[in-house]
Amino acid sequence: MDKIVITGGARLKGEVRISGAKNAALPIMAATLLTDKECIIDNVPNLHDVSTMARILRALGGRVSFSDKNNRLIILNKNLTSSDAPYEMVSTMRASICVLGPLLGRLGEATVSVPGGCVIGNRPIDLHLHGLRKLGADIKIEHGYVAAKAVKRLKGREIYLGGPFGSSVLATANVMMAAALARGETIIENAACEPEICDLAHFLNSMGANIHGIGSHVLSIKGVNKLHGAKYRIIPDRIEAGTFIIAGAITKGEVRIKNANPQHLMAVVNKVRQAGSRVDVKGRDICVRGGRQVLPTDVTTLSYPGFPTDLQAQMMSLLTLTRGISVITEKVYPDRFMHVAELNRMGSDVHLEKGSAIVKGVKNLSGAPIMASDLRASAALILAGLVAEGITEVRRVYHLDRGYDKLEQKFSLLGADIKRVKE
Ligand code: EPZ
């Protein structure tokens, strides 16, 4: 298995180009199931989760090809031969659940493995099922699978989609996709308004759907009889961009992040500024100049436009190096703190108190062999390795490959001493 080996100490300098958003690409790929016509999707990041979704579409009877030019996916789901998303695939990627809504919308039935446990905490799918049931689907959980059937065409309804931790990104995606082909109007209240959900809604509209309220917490979806093919370009990955903003800050470097959407990152820009770095927005570029000292800052993760949970671990790496105490509170996944033990092995001083991490700043971190527990934790440990004294070896990097497009090459081009080693 590969590991990433980093010798800490380099100040990152230069430009980095941001790839397309993983979390927009995955539901958009699922949405192509709603039409029998060809869809062309550009700016798709080349990463493992995208390959997994492509395998699922092929297992359902779709044709999927990827070309490096424009990072283009061409998908044709003309004759779907199956409505079953098998355990072997779903178990490796929770986002597979978002084929449920489009299969139900197009075929009137779907059998999708219930996604299993997850290292970032409990991740139920009750809101997905509640929304699809409201549209008229009959849903049972049998033998580890969600078996959904719509005897008649789905029917638009008013659906409230809030859960104990606010709105749900992929439940909103699932219900919106199913409602696109339903009879009548669906109103989703407490819809997620993450940029990736807006991207999905824009893609659906480019296929002929009729969705309004995009970007707000109330979505109106007027069902249509048929959707057609579309050509679409995925938005830049705000989590990748945020990871590089924090990388510039933690290494006291000078990094220009190109091809981002700064509007999607205001909470992050604001926090990194509060932590003592200079961050300037120039059109679609974000320029970071790391401050001489990192300042303690409290961070609370929230759904968009709050500070994203997917950057909490990376921000913690930065805040381990202040001259004070910061409190990081997780309001989306209260147990998403698996990276804490590994950071502490590198010399940080973080302890957990029910949903919060108390981060006492230390003078420096020291390199160590460490284990990545999930995608964003991997990125956080790499950031810590970039500033730690000596050598850091990050193992289980398959997590990283699931969601970052050539991360170590990008760091290397910015001057980091980082390499992938086969074991
Ligand atoms: C999406 O997951 C992202 N995944 C996650 O990114 C991200 O962390 C998360 O949204 C929050 O922003 C993709 O887009 C593929 P949620 P999702 O449903 O949609 C609770 C990454 O690293 N909830 O918005 O599955 C849930 O437990 C990944 O790229 C219910 O209670 O997350 C959580 O507390 C990890 N019932 C909260 O809602 C449900 O039915 C928000 O989760 C569904 C969710």
Side-chain angles (χ1 to χ4, degrees):
M1 208 176 288
D2 295 358
K3 62 182 177 186
I4 302 277
V5 180
I6 309 153
T7 306
R11 292 174 64 180
L12 301 189
K13 205 163 188 309
E15 293 183 354
V16 60
R17 201 175 169 76
I18 297 307
S19 301
K22 166 183 86 86
N23 289 347
L26 296 174
I28 284 176
M29 288 174 74
T32 65
L33 289 166
L34 287 163
T35 177
D36 58 0
K37 299 287 182 296
E38 184 178 86
C39 295
I40 298 177
I41 309 163
D42 285 339
N43 204 31
V44 177
N46 190 355
L47 37 87
H48 204 265
D49 276 4
V50 165
S51 314
T52 304
M53 186 57 90
R55 279 200 300 135
I56 293 175
L57 296 182
R58 287 190 193 109
L60 297 168
R63 285 203 341 233
V64 186
S65 62
F66 184 79
S67 110
D68 284 338
K69 197 167 174 238
N70 286 333
N71 276 39
R72 170 171 291 182
L73 267 181
I74 302 176
I75 304 178
L76 178 62
N77 297 314
K78 191 168 179 188
N79 302 310
L80 293 181
T81 49
S82 165
S83 58
D84 297 359
Y87 174 72
E88 299 73 56
M89 293 175 196
V90 176
S91 61
T92 65
M93 184 181 75
R94 291 188 57 91
S96 325
I97 190 70
C98 58
V99 299
L100 182 60
L103 282 176
L104 199 55
R106 167 131 171 234
L107 301 177
E109 60 177 19
T111 310
V112 179
S113 174
V114 179
C118 175
V119 75
I120 70 176
N122 187 25
R123 296 180 74 185
I125 55 164
D126 55 312
L127 296 171
H128 301 241
L129 306 188
H130 163 72
L132 296 172
R133 280 188 177 120
K134 279 273 197 183
L135 292 176
D138 177 31
I139 301 184
K140 295 193 184 85
I141 308 279
E142 287 174 335
H143 312 296
Y145 280 79
V146 180
K149 224 177 175 59
V151 187
K152 294 188 288 192
R153 186 173 167 195
L154 296 174
K155 189 168 179 304
R157 290 281 296 274
E158 258 186 44
I159 302 170
Y160 180 79
L161 268 193
F165 300 100
S167 54
S168 161
V169 174
L170 291 182
T172 304
N174 250 331
V175 176
M176 182 163 61
M177 289 187 278
L181 287 180
R183 189 156 44 89
E185 183 178 9
T186 299
I187 306 278
I188 304 179
E189 282 174 36
N190 211 342
C193 61
E194 268 65 9
E196 296 76 18
I197 287 294
C198 300
D199 213 32
L200 171 64
H202 289 304
F203 174 66
L204 290 167
N205 278 352
S206 74
M207 295 170 83
N210 191 353
I211 303 175
H212 291 271
I214 299 172
S216 79
H217 284 299
V218 183
L219 285 173
S220 141
I221 304 128
K222 293 202 177 96
V224 296
N225 291 332
K226 225 173 161 38
L227 292 171
H228 50 72
K231 186 163 183 283
Y232 195 76
R233 189 175 171 82
I234 303 266
I235 53 168
D237 194 311
R238 64 192 168 105
I239 305 302
E240 186 197 11
T243 302
F244 280 103
I245 294 176
I246 298 170
I250 199 170
T251 63
K252 303 189 183 344
E254 274 179 58
V255 179
R256 186 175 190 112
I257 294 138
K258 294 188 76 73
N259 188 41
N261 186 333
Q263 267 187 348
H264 294 165
L265 282 152
M266 289 327 287
V268 180
V269 165
N270 181 43
K271 277 295 159 194
V272 174
R273 281 179 183 150
Q274 275 179 27
S277 286
R278 179 165 175 176
V279 186
D280 294 316
V281 172
K282 296 181 180 159
R284 293 178 67 79
D285 294 359
I286 302 172
C287 303
V288 188
R289 185 189 288 249
R292 287 215 339 254
Q293 259 186 36
V294 188
L295 307 175
T297 309
D298 293 343
V299 178
T300 300
T301 66
L302 291 168
S303 51
Y304 188 81
F307 191 94
T309 174
D310 290 345
L311 284 168
Q312 179 257 109
Q314 299 90 316
M315 192 68 191
M316 185 183 293
S317 295
L318 175 65
L319 295 177
T320 60
L321 292 166
T322 68
R323 282 198 191 164
I325 297 178
S326 311
V327 179
I328 300 181
T329 305
E330 218 348 301
K331 291 276 192 191
V332 182
Y333 292 109
D335 296 325
R336 193 178 197 174
F337 286 118
M338 296 295 281
H339 42 284
V340 168
E342 299 301 302
L343 285 174
N344 283 349
R345 293 190 64 248
M346 297 177 74
S348 71
D349 184 354
V350 185
H351 74 269
L352 295 176
E353 267 179 28
K354 225 177 179 308
S356 291
I358 317 298
V359 187
K360 281 192 199 153
V362 294
K363 222 165 154 223
N364 41 42
L365 299 173
S366 66
I370 42 178
M371 204 77 94
S373 55
D374 76 280
L375 168 59
R376 308 305 173 185
S378 320
L381 296 174
I382 289 178
L383 293 181
L386 290 175
V387 278
E389 285 172 355
I391 294 177
T392 298
E393 290 186 1
V394 184
R395 284 149 209 249
R396 292 201 188 147
V397 291
Y398 52 86
H399 290 298
L400 195 71
D401 297 336
R402 286 189 45 196
Y404 281 96
D405 192 357
K406 304 183 195 73
L407 191 70
E408 77 269 16
Q409 277 111 306
K410 289 183 180 181
F411 275 135
S412 187
L413 286 172
L414 290 171
D417 185 340
I418 181 169
K419 60 182 182 240
R420 180 180 289 251
V421 175
K422 293 220 179 292
E423 277 192 306

mmCIF file of all heavy atoms in Angstrom, residues 8-50:
data_model
loop_
_atom_site.group_PDB
_atom_site.id
_atom_site.type_symbol
_atom_site.label_atom_id
_atom_site.label_comp_id
_atom_site.label_asym_id
_atom_site.label_seq_id
_atom_site.Cartn_x
_atom_site.Cartn_y
_atom_site.Cartn_z
ATOM 1 N N GLY A 8 9.259 17.981 6.567
ATOM 2 C CA GLY A 8 8.635 19.273 6.868
ATOM 3 C C GLY A 8 9.610 20.437 6.762
ATOM 4 O O GLY A 8 10.828 20.252 6.747
ATOM 5 N N GLY A 9 9.050 21.625 6.659
ATOM 6 C CA GLY A 9 9.874 22.829 6.757
ATOM 7 C C GLY A 9 9.827 23.739 5.548
ATOM 8 O O GLY A 9 10.194 24.914 5.649
ATOM 9 N N ALA A 10 9.380 23.231 4.394
ATOM 10 C CA ALA A 10 9.394 24.097 3.203
ATOM 11 C C ALA A 10 8.244 25.108 3.269
ATOM 12 O O ALA A 10 7.123 24.749 3.657
ATOM 13 C CB ALA A 10 9.260 23.245 1.951
ATOM 14 N N ARG A 11 8.550 26.353 2.910
ATOM 15 C CA ARG A 11 7.461 27.347 2.793
ATOM 16 C C ARG A 11 6.901 27.240 1.387
ATOM 17 O O ARG A 11 7.633 27.394 0.413
ATOM 18 C CB ARG A 11 8.021 28.745 3.026
ATOM 19 C CG ARG A 11 8.466 28.956 4.446
ATOM 20 C CD ARG A 11 9.142 30.273 4.596
ATOM 21 N NE ARG A 11 8.213 31.362 4.334
ATOM 22 C CZ ARG A 11 8.550 32.643 4.397
ATOM 23 N NH1 ARG A 11 9.780 32.984 4.701
ATOM 24 N NH2 ARG A 11 7.654 33.584 4.168
ATOM 25 N N LEU A 12 5.636 26.999 1.277
ATOM 26 C CA LEU A 12 5.048 26.815 -0.050
ATOM 27 C C LEU A 12 5.023 28.145 -0.796
ATOM 28 O O LEU A 12 4.712 29.188 -0.217
ATOM 29 C CB LEU A 12 3.632 26.252 0.053
ATOM 30 C CG LEU A 12 3.464 24.910 0.756
ATOM 31 C CD1 LEU A 12 2.050 24.386 0.572
ATOM 32 C CD2 LEU A 12 4.472 23.875 0.240
ATOM 33 N N LYS A 13 5.349 28.091 -2.071
ATOM 34 C CA LYS A 13 5.387 29.320 -2.869
ATOM 35 C C LYS A 13 4.970 28.986 -4.296
ATOM 36 O O LYS A 13 5.442 27.975 -4.839
ATOM 37 C CB LYS A 13 6.816 29.857 -2.875
ATOM 38 C CG LYS A 13 6.921 31.335 -3.124
ATOM 39 C CD LYS A 13 8.293 31.837 -2.711
ATOM 40 C CE LYS A 13 8.408 33.327 -2.742
ATOM 41 N NZ LYS A 13 8.021 34.018 -3.884
ATOM 42 N N GLY A 14 4.092 29.772 -4.862
ATOM 43 C CA GLY A 14 3.730 29.556 -6.258
ATOM 44 C C GLY A 14 2.222 29.498 -6.455
ATOM 45 O O GLY A 14 1.452 29.980 -5.628
ATOM 46 N N GLU A 15 1.843 28.881 -7.583
ATOM 47 C CA GLU A 15 0.426 28.851 -7.979
ATOM 48 C C GLU A 15 -0.084 27.416 -8.024
ATOM 49 O O GLU A 15 0.658 26.507 -8.386
ATOM 50 C CB GLU A 15 0.279 29.423 -9.387
ATOM 51 C CG GLU A 15 0.584 30.886 -9.471
ATOM 52 C CD GLU A 15 0.354 31.430 -10.870
ATOM 53 O OE1 GLU A 15 0.063 30.639 -11.806
ATOM 54 O OE2 GLU A 15 0.475 32.651 -11.020
ATOM 55 N N VAL A 16 -1.337 27.259 -7.686
ATOM 56 C CA VAL A 16 -1.944 25.926 -7.777
ATOM 57 C C VAL A 16 -3.328 26.077 -8.406
ATOM 58 O O VAL A 16 -4.049 27.033 -8.121
ATOM 59 C CB VAL A 16 -2.010 25.250 -6.381
ATOM 60 C CG1 VAL A 16 -2.824 26.058 -5.384
ATOM 61 C CG2 VAL A 16 -2.552 23.842 -6.483
ATOM 62 N N ARG A 17 -3.657 25.143 -9.282
ATOM 63 C CA ARG A 17 -4.948 25.209 -9.970
ATOM 64 C C ARG A 17 -5.912 24.198 -9.344
ATOM 65 O O ARG A 17 -5.563 23.031 -9.163
ATOM 66 C CB ARG A 17 -4.710 24.870 -11.446
ATOM 67 C CG ARG A 17 -5.776 25.364 -12.329
ATOM 68 C CD ARG A 17 -5.475 25.137 -13.802
ATOM 69 N NE ARG A 17 -6.681 25.426 -14.533
ATOM 70 C CZ ARG A 17 -7.122 26.650 -14.785
ATOM 71 N NH1 ARG A 17 -6.430 27.695 -14.409
ATOM 72 N NH2 ARG A 17 -8.260 26.837 -15.425
ATOM 73 N N ILE A 18 -7.088 24.672 -9.039
ATOM 74 C CA ILE A 18 -8.074 23.838 -8.331
ATOM 75 C C ILE A 18 -8.858 22.970 -9.331
ATOM 76 O O ILE A 18 -9.252 23.429 -10.391
ATOM 77 C CB ILE A 18 -9.018 24.752 -7.519
ATOM 78 C CG1 ILE A 18 -8.217 25.507 -6.456
ATOM 79 C CG2 ILE A 18 -10.165 23.988 -6.880
ATOM 80 C CD1 ILE A 18 -7.362 24.634 -5.556
ATOM 81 N N SER A 19 -9.087 21.727 -8.964
ATOM 82 C CA SER A 19 -9.845 20.797 -9.810
ATOM 83 C C SER A 19 -11.351 20.984 -9.599
ATOM 84 O O SER A 19 -11.779 21.748 -8.724
ATOM 85 C CB SER A 19 -9.473 19.359 -9.458
ATOM 86 O OG SER A 19 -8.100 19.149 -9.632
ATOM 87 N N GLY A 20 -12.131 20.250 -10.359
ATOM 88 C CA GLY A 20 -13.588 20.296 -10.201
ATOM 89 C C GLY A 20 -13.997 19.642 -8.880
ATOM 90 O O GLY A 20 -13.264 18.831 -8.307
ATOM 91 N N ALA A 21 -15.197 19.992 -8.425
ATOM 92 C CA ALA A 21 -15.644 19.566 -7.088
ATOM 93 C C ALA A 21 -16.116 18.111 -7.085
ATOM 94 O O ALA A 21 -17.086 17.768 -7.778
ATOM 95 C CB ALA A 21 -16.781 20.466 -6.615
ATOM 96 N N LYS A 22 -15.463 17.304 -6.270
ATOM 97 C CA LYS A 22 -15.889 15.901 -6.107
ATOM 98 C C LYS A 22 -17.361 15.815 -5.710
ATOM 99 O O LYS A 22 -18.130 15.046 -6.280
ATOM 100 C CB LYS A 22 -15.035 15.231 -5.021
ATOM 101 C CG LYS A 22 -15.595 13.911 -4.526
ATOM 102 C CD LYS A 22 -14.777 13.303 -3.422
ATOM 103 C CE LYS A 22 -15.084 13.764 -2.027
ATOM 104 N NZ LYS A 22 -16.170 13.063 -1.308
ATOM 105 N N ASN A 23 -17.756 16.624 -4.712
ATOM 106 C CA ASN A 23 -19.101 16.462 -4.163
ATOM 107 C C ASN A 23 -20.197 17.073 -5.038
ATOM 108 O O ASN A 23 -21.380 16.919 -4.753
ATOM 109 C CB ASN A 23 -19.165 17.016 -2.734
ATOM 110 C CG ASN A 23 -18.406 16.117 -1.772
ATOM 111 O OD1 ASN A 23 -18.056 14.991 -2.120
ATOM 112 N ND2 ASN A 23 -18.140 16.610 -0.572
ATOM 113 N N ALA A 24 -19.782 17.758 -6.106
ATOM 114 C CA ALA A 24 -20.751 18.144 -7.141
ATOM 115 C C ALA A 24 -20.768 17.062 -8.216
ATOM 116 O O ALA A 24 -21.827 16.672 -8.720
ATOM 117 C CB ALA A 24 -20.377 19.497 -7.737
ATOM 118 N N ALA A 25 -19.583 16.553 -8.559
ATOM 119 C CA ALA A 25 -19.495 15.570 -9.651
ATOM 120 C C ALA A 25 -20.297 14.302 -9.341
ATOM 121 O O ALA A 25 -20.984 13.772 -10.224
ATOM 122 C CB ALA A 25 -18.032 15.215 -9.908
ATOM 123 N N LEU A 26 -20.243 13.829 -8.091
ATOM 124 C CA LEU A 26 -20.872 12.530 -7.789
ATOM 125 C C LEU A 26 -22.394 12.563 -7.970
ATOM 126 O O LEU A 26 -22.951 11.738 -8.695
ATOM 127 C CB LEU A 26 -20.469 12.055 -6.388
ATOM 128 C CG LEU A 26 -18.961 11.778 -6.217
ATOM 129 C CD1 LEU A 26 -18.632 11.462 -4.762
ATOM 130 C CD2 LEU A 26 -18.500 10.641 -7.118
ATOM 131 N N PRO A 27 -23.115 13.540 -7.337
ATOM 132 C CA PRO A 27 -24.572 13.556 -7.593
ATOM 133 C C PRO A 27 -24.921 13.902 -9.035
ATOM 134 O O PRO A 27 -25.930 13.416 -9.552
ATOM 135 C CB PRO A 27 -25.107 14.617 -6.616
ATOM 136 C CG PRO A 27 -23.943 15.275 -6.005
ATOM 137 C CD PRO A 27 -22.724 14.444 -6.260
ATOM 138 N N ILE A 28 -24.088 14.700 -9.690
ATOM 139 C CA ILE A 28 -24.384 15.027 -11.098
ATOM 140 C C ILE A 28 -24.244 13.774 -11.962
ATOM 141 O O ILE A 28 -25.052 13.527 -12.867
ATOM 142 C CB ILE A 28 -23.491 16.199 -11.584
ATOM 143 C CG1 ILE A 28 -24.033 17.506 -10.992
ATOM 144 C CG2 ILE A 28 -23.418 16.270 -13.100
ATOM 145 C CD1 ILE A 28 -23.220 18.748 -11.286
ATOM 146 N N MET A 29 -23.244 12.958 -11.663
ATOM 147 C CA MET A 29 -23.136 11.680 -12.401
ATOM 148 C C MET A 29 -24.389 10.841 -12.166
ATOM 149 O O MET A 29 -24.932 10.234 -13.095
ATOM 150 C CB MET A 29 -21.887 10.917 -11.943
ATOM 151 C CG MET A 29 -20.587 11.538 -12.422
ATOM 152 S SD MET A 29 -19.150 10.703 -11.705
ATOM 153 C CE MET A 29 -19.128 9.165 -12.649
ATOM 154 N N ALA A 30 -24.853 10.802 -10.914
ATOM 155 C CA ALA A 30 -26.066 10.030 -10.605
ATOM 156 C C ALA A 30 -27.267 10.604 -11.357
ATOM 157 O O ALA A 30 -28.127 9.861 -11.845
ATOM 158 C CB ALA A 30 -26.322 10.033 -9.102
ATOM 159 N N ALA A 31 -27.301 11.925 -11.493
ATOM 160 C CA ALA A 31 -28.451 12.576 -12.152
ATOM 161 C C ALA A 31 -28.552 12.207 -13.625
ATOM 162 O O ALA A 31 -29.640 12.273 -14.210
ATOM 163 C CB ALA A 31 -28.344 14.097 -12.004
ATOM 164 N N THR A 32 -27.441 11.784 -14.238
ATOM 165 C CA THR A 32 -27.521 11.398 -15.661
ATOM 166 C C THR A 32 -28.423 10.175 -15.838
ATOM 167 O O THR A 32 -28.865 9.889 -16.947
ATOM 168 C CB THR A 32 -26.120 11.102 -16.250
ATOM 169 O OG1 THR A 32 -25.571 9.954 -15.591
ATOM 170 C CG2 THR A 32 -25.174 12.289 -16.103
ATOM 171 N N LEU A 33 -28.700 9.456 -14.734
ATOM 172 C CA LEU A 33 -29.602 8.294 -14.817
ATOM 173 C C LEU A 33 -31.024 8.719 -15.184
ATOM 174 O O LEU A 33 -31.850 7.886 -15.555
ATOM 175 C CB LEU A 33 -29.632 7.551 -13.477
ATOM 176 C CG LEU A 33 -28.369 6.768 -13.109
ATOM 177 C CD1 LEU A 33 -28.390 6.385 -11.633
ATOM 178 C CD2 LEU A 33 -28.239 5.515 -13.991
ATOM 179 N N LEU A 34 -31.306 10.017 -15.047
ATOM 180 C CA LEU A 34 -32.677 10.489 -15.295
ATOM 181 C C LEU A 34 -32.999 10.608 -16.785
ATOM 182 O O LEU A 34 -34.141 10.864 -17.139
ATOM 183 C CB LEU A 34 -32.882 11.850 -14.616
ATOM 184 C CG LEU A 34 -32.990 11.812 -13.081
ATOM 185 C CD1 LEU A 34 -32.770 13.188 -12.492
ATOM 186 C CD2 LEU A 34 -34.344 11.255 -12.647
ATOM 187 N N THR A 35 -31.988 10.457 -17.645
ATOM 188 C CA THR A 35 -32.258 10.599 -19.075
ATOM 189 C C THR A 35 -31.646 9.447 -19.869
ATOM 190 O O THR A 35 -30.629 8.881 -19.447
ATOM 191 C CB THR A 35 -31.729 11.944 -19.626
ATOM 192 O OG1 THR A 35 -31.968 11.992 -21.040
ATOM 193 C CG2 THR A 35 -30.251 12.141 -19.375
ATOM 194 N N ASP A 36 -32.248 9.151 -21.026
ATOM 195 C CA ASP A 36 -31.651 8.136 -21.903
ATOM 196 C C ASP A 36 -30.771 8.777 -22.967
ATOM 197 O O ASP A 36 -30.332 8.126 -23.900
ATOM 198 C CB ASP A 36 -32.742 7.254 -22.546
ATOM 199 C CG ASP A 36 -33.744 8.061 -23.349
ATOM 200 O OD1 ASP A 36 -33.596 9.297 -23.415
ATOM 201 O OD2 ASP A 36 -34.683 7.459 -23.916
ATOM 202 N N LYS A 37 -30.538 10.079 -22.821
ATOM 203 C CA LYS A 37 -29.703 10.790 -23.803
ATOM 204 C C LYS A 37 -28.298 11.035 -23.232
ATOM 205 O O LYS A 37 -28.077 10.954 -22.031
ATOM 206 C CB LYS A 37 -30.360 12.131 -24.164
ATOM 207 C CG LYS A 37 -31.729 11.988 -24.797
ATOM 208 C CD LYS A 37 -31.617 11.473 -26.225
ATOM 209 C CE LYS A 37 -32.938 11.348 -26.964
ATOM 210 N NZ LYS A 37 -33.884 10.385 -26.431
ATOM 211 N N GLU A 38 -27.400 11.400 -24.140
ATOM 212 C CA GLU A 38 -25.991 11.562 -23.731
ATOM 213 C C GLU A 38 -25.774 12.827 -22.899
ATOM 214 O O GLU A 38 -26.322 13.885 -23.199
ATOM 215 C CB GLU A 38 -25.123 11.627 -24.984
ATOM 216 C CG GLU A 38 -23.651 11.706 -24.687
ATOM 217 C CD GLU A 38 -22.829 11.712 -25.970
ATOM 218 O OE1 GLU A 38 -22.624 12.811 -26.527
ATOM 219 O OE2 GLU A 38 -22.399 10.629 -26.388
ATOM 220 N N CYS A 39 -24.954 12.716 -21.876
ATOM 221 C CA CYS A 39 -24.560 13.879 -21.079
ATOM 222 C C CYS A 39 -23.044 14.020 -21.133
ATOM 223 O O CYS A 39 -22.324 13.017 -21.039
ATOM 224 C CB CYS A 39 -24.979 13.707 -19.618
ATOM 225 S SG CYS A 39 -26.762 13.645 -19.401
ATOM 226 N N ILE A 40 -22.599 15.264 -21.279
ATOM 227 C CA ILE A 40 -21.157 15.530 -21.321
ATOM 228 C C ILE A 40 -20.837 16.433 -20.132
ATOM 229 O O ILE A 40 -21.408 17.516 -19.999
ATOM 230 C CB ILE A 40 -20.772 16.220 -22.642
ATOM 231 C CG1 ILE A 40 -21.120 15.275 -23.793
ATOM 232 C CG2 ILE A 40 -19.295 16.595 -22.659
ATOM 233 C CD1 ILE A 40 -20.862 15.858 -25.163
ATOM 234 N N ILE A 41 -19.961 15.963 -19.280
ATOM 235 C CA ILE A 41 -19.656 16.723 -18.060
ATOM 236 C C ILE A 41 -18.164 17.027 -18.040
ATOM 237 O O ILE A 41 -17.337 16.108 -18.084
ATOM 238 C CB ILE A 41 -20.055 15.936 -16.801
ATOM 239 C CG1 ILE A 41 -21.497 15.442 -16.939
ATOM 240 C CG2 ILE A 41 -19.925 16.789 -15.561
ATOM 241 C CD1 ILE A 41 -21.835 14.338 -15.976
ATOM 242 N N ASP A 42 -17.841 18.322 -17.990
ATOM 243 C CA ASP A 42 -16.439 18.746 -17.990
ATOM 244 C C ASP A 42 -15.979 19.132 -16.590
ATOM 245 O O ASP A 42 -16.799 19.384 -15.704
ATOM 246 C CB ASP A 42 -16.258 19.948 -18.932
ATOM 247 C CG ASP A 42 -16.296 19.514 -20.392
ATOM 248 O OD1 ASP A 42 -16.065 18.315 -20.661
ATOM 249 O OD2 ASP A 42 -16.578 20.362 -21.261
ATOM 250 N N ASN A 43 -14.645 19.223 -16.463
ATOM 251 C CA ASN A 43 -14.015 19.610 -15.190
ATOM 252 C C ASN A 43 -14.301 18.601 -14.074
ATOM 253 O O ASN A 43 -14.428 18.967 -12.912
ATOM 254 C CB ASN A 43 -14.475 21.020 -14.774
ATOM 255 C CG ASN A 43 -13.478 21.689 -13.846
ATOM 256 O OD1 ASN A 43 -12.286 21.439 -13.929
ATOM 257 N ND2 ASN A 43 -13.965 22.525 -12.938
ATOM 258 N N VAL A 44 -14.383 17.337 -14.456
ATOM 259 C CA VAL A 44 -14.621 16.284 -13.459
ATOM 260 C C VAL A 44 -13.263 15.899 -12.860
ATOM 261 O O VAL A 44 -12.326 15.618 -13.604
ATOM 262 C CB VAL A 44 -15.269 15.044 -14.128
ATOM 263 C CG1 VAL A 44 -15.445 13.927 -13.119
ATOM 264 C CG2 VAL A 44 -16.587 15.421 -14.772
ATOM 265 N N PRO A 45 -13.129 15.901 -11.543
ATOM 266 C CA PRO A 45 -11.833 15.552 -10.967
ATOM 267 C C PRO A 45 -11.525 14.074 -11.198
ATOM 268 O O PRO A 45 -12.441 13.244 -11.194
ATOM 269 C CB PRO A 45 -12.025 15.853 -9.475
ATOM 270 C CG PRO A 45 -13.497 15.720 -9.252
ATOM 271 C CD PRO A 45 -14.159 16.155 -10.519
ATOM 272 N N ASN A 46 -10.247 13.802 -11.416
ATOM 273 C CA ASN A 46 -9.840 12.429 -11.692
ATOM 274 C C ASN A 46 -9.470 11.765 -10.369
ATOM 275 O O ASN A 46 -8.346 11.870 -9.906
ATOM 276 C CB ASN A 46 -8.641 12.480 -12.651
ATOM 277 C CG ASN A 46 -8.298 11.116 -13.184
ATOM 278 O OD1 ASN A 46 -8.894 10.115 -12.780
ATOM 279 N ND2 ASN A 46 -7.339 11.063 -14.077
ATOM 280 N N LEU A 47 -10.448 11.136 -9.742
ATOM 281 C CA LEU A 47 -10.182 10.533 -8.442
ATOM 282 C C LEU A 47 -11.027 9.273 -8.231
ATOM 283 O O LEU A 47 -11.924 8.975 -9.029
ATOM 284 C CB LEU A 47 -10.388 11.554 -7.309
ATOM 285 C CG LEU A 47 -11.512 12.561 -7.433
ATOM 286 C CD1 LEU A 47 -12.781 11.981 -6.905
ATOM 287 C CD2 LEU A 47 -11.139 13.811 -6.659
ATOM 288 N N HIS A 48 -10.719 8.582 -7.169
ATOM 289 C CA HIS A 48 -11.242 7.236 -7.005
ATOM 290 C C HIS A 48 -12.761 7.195 -6.853
ATOM 291 O O HIS A 48 -13.422 6.311 -7.409
ATOM 292 C CB HIS A 48 -10.553 6.576 -5.806
ATOM 293 C CG HIS A 48 -10.578 5.092 -5.916
ATOM 294 N ND1 HIS A 48 -11.541 4.336 -5.332
ATOM 295 C CD2 HIS A 48 -9.788 4.236 -6.592
ATOM 296 C CE1 HIS A 48 -11.333 3.070 -5.631
ATOM 297 N NE2 HIS A 48 -10.271 2.984 -6.394
ATOM 298 N N ASP A 49 -13.339 8.139 -6.105
ATOM 299 C CA ASP A 49 -14.801 8.131 -5.914
ATOM 300 C C ASP A 49 -15.537 8.304 -7.245
ATOM 301 O O ASP A 49 -16.617 7.746 -7.452
ATOM 302 C CB ASP A 49 -15.235 9.233 -4.934
ATOM 303 C CG ASP A 49 -15.103 8.777 -3.475
ATOM 304 O OD1 ASP A 49 -14.611 7.657 -3.238
ATOM 305 O OD2 ASP A 49 -15.483 9.564 -2.578
ATOM 306 N N VAL A 50 -14.946 9.096 -8.129
ATOM 307 C CA VAL A 50 -15.558 9.287 -9.456
ATOM 308 C C VAL A 50 -15.516 7.955 -10.223
ATOM 309 O O VAL A 50 -16.500 7.564 -10.871
ATOM 310 C CB VAL A 50 -14.841 10.431 -10.226
ATOM 311 C CG1 VAL A 50 -15.199 10.416 -11.705
ATOM 312 C CG2 VAL A 50 -15.205 11.783 -9.611
#
